[in-house]
Amino acid sequence: LNTTGIALAVFSVFGVLGMQLLSGKMRRCTDPSVHHRRDCLGFDSEGEPREWVNADNNFDNMYRAVMSIFILATQDDWPIHMWAGVDATGKLTGPIENHNLPMMIFYVVSIVLASYLVVNIFVGVFVDCYTLASGEMMAERM
């Protein structure tokens, strides 16, 4: 339980930082030719309705931010999420490729610190539990 609390605290810190940097900025139109929200109306060239949608992993609220950091810490498709953050522009505009390259620093630091810290904490707990169980088994045999 303590381990989960520490992991949640680390994820929350990076989540709040991500909310400050990217809250509301990871939206886009389903029609890639449209860049501004006001133009994301009607139908695209294939007859599909245009919609202003959010990225799968975003930092719009605390829950989504912590989940996004958890995904980064597990390193599950992290480059896709990092490039979505790098391409983010504003609340009313869609992504522009490589718009904010310094955002990569946030993602890399989040991945390195969150995954390193959480993995080490969980490994430490498993080793501690194993040592404790081994000691109890040795005591029972004697």
Side-chain angles (χ1 to χ4, degrees), residues 8 11-13 15-16 19 59-67:
L8 190 59
F11 293 164
S12 296
V13 168
V16 168
M19 287 173 60
F59 293 89
D60 288 354
N61 58 52
M62 193 62 185
Y63 172 75
R64 295 301 311 157
V66 169
M67 290 305 294

Side-chain angles (χ1 to χ4, degrees), residues 48-120:
E48 297 292 324
R50 292 181 178 141
E51 294 180 68
W52 193 252
V53 295
N54 209 353
D56 292 335
N57 292 305
N58 57 67
F59 293 89
D60 288 354
N61 58 52
M62 193 62 185
Y63 172 75
R64 295 301 311 157
V66 169
M67 290 305 294
S68 295
I69 297 297
F70 175 76
I71 289 170
L72 290 175
T74 60
Q75 298 177 12
D76 181 34
D77 289 336
W78 69 269
I80 294 169
H81 307 301
M82 180 185 71
W83 289 115
V86 168
D87 296 345
T89 56
K91 295 186 183 216
L92 299 175
T93 53
I96 296 174
E97 190 171 334
N98 298 332
H99 174 71
N100 191 3
L101 288 175
M103 189 59 66
M104 290 191 317
I105 296 169
F106 165 73
Y107 280 93
V108 171
V109 169
S110 297
I111 290 167
V112 170
L113 291 181
S115 63
Y116 178 75
L117 180 70
V118 171
V119 167
N120 278 333

